[in-house]
Amino acid sequence: MEQTGKIIYLDNAATTPVSGPVLDAMLPYFSQHYGNPSSVYGIARQSKEALDAARTQVAAALNCLPEEVFFTGCGSESDNWAVKGIAHKLAAQGKRHLITTSIEHHAILHSMAELEKEGFEVTYLPVDADGLVSPDQVRAAIRPDTALVSVMYANNEIGTVEPVAEIGAVCREAGVLFHTDAVQAAGTLKINVQAQKIDALSLSAHKFNGPKGVGALYLKKGLRLPNLIDGGGQENGRRAGTENVAGIVGLGKALELANAQLAEKAVHLEKLRDYVIRTVRQSIPNVKLNGHPTRRLPGNVNLSFEGIEGEGMLLLLDMKGVCASSGSACTSGSLDPSHVLLAIGLPHEIAHGSLRLTFGPQNTMEDAQAACSALQEIIPRLRAMSPVWDKIEKGEAKPLLG
Ligand code: PLP
């Protein structure tokens, strides 16, 4: 059954709406300033200047040089380029070992898997029960033939924020390149590639109220990777193809706006996040918060409910207009629990009953309250139909979440 009322969009880790000022900045570049930035006449120069301005905006947000910023088609592309590019470049020096974590996005994990097929060796670091990677474990895993360490800035499912500066320091000291997937962090957390000793960083506009289909990769000066796309001279000859000018303008504007409001944004998101965590824990039994209790993205709530199947929960939430995400990925007909939830040690049945609610600046306290009311109605309803919950209630099975 389709829901018909108001949409309560709580899936901002999946994507975000383009904000009004960002859309306004982009619009002229569709049909007014439509020149190809590589051409020489006036309207082309306007496009070229817009690209330059966006590159400067991104550089200001990351504390790097504009020439260290390369625009791409998405966060996944930035991740692929960084990981495969660095691996292929350093393989020539005999460095064929890579280090990453078990909770990365598939853009990293699948890139690593491809490199393994080519003969690279990959160490997948475990995380603790809160999803944290330890800098000491990174240090211990580094070998003389290590080319790259890639650890995400913040996890997209459980929201845990990794000790990026500490890991950057470990890598710099060991002379190993450090890449971070900052797709969930950019526009929400402060980034400083100099202070944090980051050599390569991926971001994506649609996660911070910018448009879809445009990302960026920061590459430290002097780190010249193999070209991603061969062709024209765009992106300093490294990624050919006429630029997505409107998209890039949107990315630059959205990142500039988000960065100017990081503190206010965090306060607002944390208020909504903490309200939901508190209210659900107080009113619904046998529930667990996934991810670090404090080192977490300000808008991320990830909860596991005992005796619940995530997909059923999402369908009932959808009927109430609440857009959320669960801890399962529907792959090849089977519902596999998320690799992140398994990596923090959740049993399969608990991982299956997980829910991610992620807030954005456009959300209100009413949205948070509506989500809580919906869960207070839906969880008992689903539990009443659950054979697992029935056994727990009859004392025939022990609950896993107290
Ligand atoms: N990395 C992380 C941590 C993400 O959350 C995502 C998207 O969800 C990506 C990479 C991929 O970004 P894009 O959708 O722009 O390809």
Side-chain angles (χ1 to χ4, degrees), residues 125-186:
L125 294 175
V127 292
D128 71 9
D130 292 329
L132 273 185
V133 179
S134 130
D136 285 339
Q137 271 182 312
V138 174
R139 184 183 289 109
I142 292 177
R143 314 189 316 208
D145 64 339
T146 304
L148 170 72
V149 170
S150 181
V151 176
M152 69 200 320
Y153 204 119
N155 184 266
N156 46 304
E157 292 190 40
I158 56 174
T160 299
V161 178
E162 300 298 344
V164 168
E166 289 85 340
I167 295 172
V170 165
C171 293
R172 192 60 60 86
E173 196 189 310
V176 173
L177 291 171
F178 176 43
H179 166 257
T180 187
D181 173 346
V183 169
Q184 292 291 337

Side-chain angles (χ1 to χ4, degrees), residues 13-14 74-76 79 105 107 152 154 156 181 183-184 204 206-207:
C74 56
S76 302
D79 281 344
H105 188 270
M152 69 200 320
N156 46 304
D181 173 346
V183 169
Q184 292 291 337
S204 182
H206 73 109
K207 306 292 187 180

Side-chain angles (χ1 to χ4, degrees), residues 7 26 29-30 54 80 102 120-121 126 128 143-144 219 289 296 300 308 324-326 351 380:
I7 295 282
M26 291 172 67
Y29 294 92
F30 285 104
N80 273 254
S102 52
F120 287 87
E121 206 185 318
D128 71 9
R143 314 189 316 208
L219 286 176
L289 176 70
R296 69 186 298 128
N300 175 291
I308 297 284
S325 161
S326 80

Side-chain angles (χ1 to χ4, degrees), residues 328-348:
S328 302
C330 194
T331 24
S332 56
S334 72
L335 275 178
D336 291 330
S338 123
H339 65 285
V340 177
L341 297 177
L342 296 182
I344 59 169
L346 293 194
H348 277 238

